[in-house]
Structures are given as C-alpha cells and as structure tokens.
Amino acid sequence: GQREPFGARPARPPFQLILAGTAVVKGLPQSWRVVDGLSTGLTVGRAHQRELHEKALVEGVLEYISRDHFSIKAAKDGNFSVVPLSQNPMWHSRGGRLQLLQPGHLPV
C-alpha cells in the first residue's frame, strides 16, 4: 500500500457525529463517542454501526435504532443534509426549535 509522507497527518473528516446525552453509557471513552463522516455522506443505523450501538447505548435504547435510521447526504455545493430513513422518532434541534423528522420530509 501507499505510505503517508513523513510527518503527514490524516485528512480531517468533513463532519463528525458525537454521541452524547442520557442514552449514552456513562463513562464511554471519547474514542467511542465520535463517528467520522465521509465526503460522500454517511448512513447511520444498527446495520452500519452495530458494535457502536450495542456498546454505547444504555439498555432498552437499541430497539429504537433502526437498521437504516438516517443518512447524511452530501450536496454538490459541499453542504450536508440529514435525511430520516426510519419510522422511529428522530428529533432535530436548531436555534432552540425542536422538529420531528420522518421519512419523506425535506432534508434538514
């Protein structure tokens, strides 16, 4: 394989998801709390990050995470949008306003 030049740093991901809140296991190492996004986007769900969901979420929460829960899609302009893929509830908060996201809604 190709080697990185001496002293080179890995490229920074275009976005990161950070696990936080009451559904996350207390004391979970920071390295488990961060999911790096790709330039093409990312799909989140049990089918894609099974080990993470099993280890990072408190008991009883996993049943609310779908196999394909949501995706983050890359746009041609370089921005990213969240697209819900599941009937399970998903909330989006921006500027103090809370919105329920469901499949078929416009991306946010």
Side-chain angles (χ1 to χ4, degrees):
Q2 275 190 323
R3 293 182 134 176
E4 291 185 34
F6 179 75
R9 295 181 136 166
R12 186 171 176 179
F15 65 91
Q16 293 180 314
L17 300 181
I18 300 173
L19 296 174
T22 58
V24 177
V25 171
K26 286 186 185 349
L28 185 71
Q30 185 65 26
S31 61
W32 277 88
R33 293 177 179 268
V34 179
V35 178
D36 289 341
L38 306 172
S39 60
T40 55
L42 178 71
T43 299
V44 174
R46 288 190 331 264
H48 306 277
Q49 299 89 16
R50 177 173 283 291
E51 185 179 16
L52 172 67
H53 290 112
E54 289 174 349
K55 290 185 178 184
L57 301 177
V58 297
E59 189 174 332
V61 172
L62 194 58
E63 66 187 85
Y64 295 102
I65 306 297
S66 299
R67 291 178 48 74
D68 298 311
H69 201 74
F70 67 92
S71 67
I72 298 175
K73 302 279 187 187
K76 290 180 183 178
D77 64 5
N79 290 312
F80 293 87
S81 298
V82 176
V83 180
L85 302 174
S86 169
Q87 294 299 326
N88 287 342
M90 187 172 134
W91 296 90
H92 177 260
S93 176
R94 180 179 286 161
R97 188 171 152 253
L98 200 58
Q99 175 185 2
L100 176 64
L101 302 180
Q102 295 178 319
H105 280 175
L106 293 175
V108 294

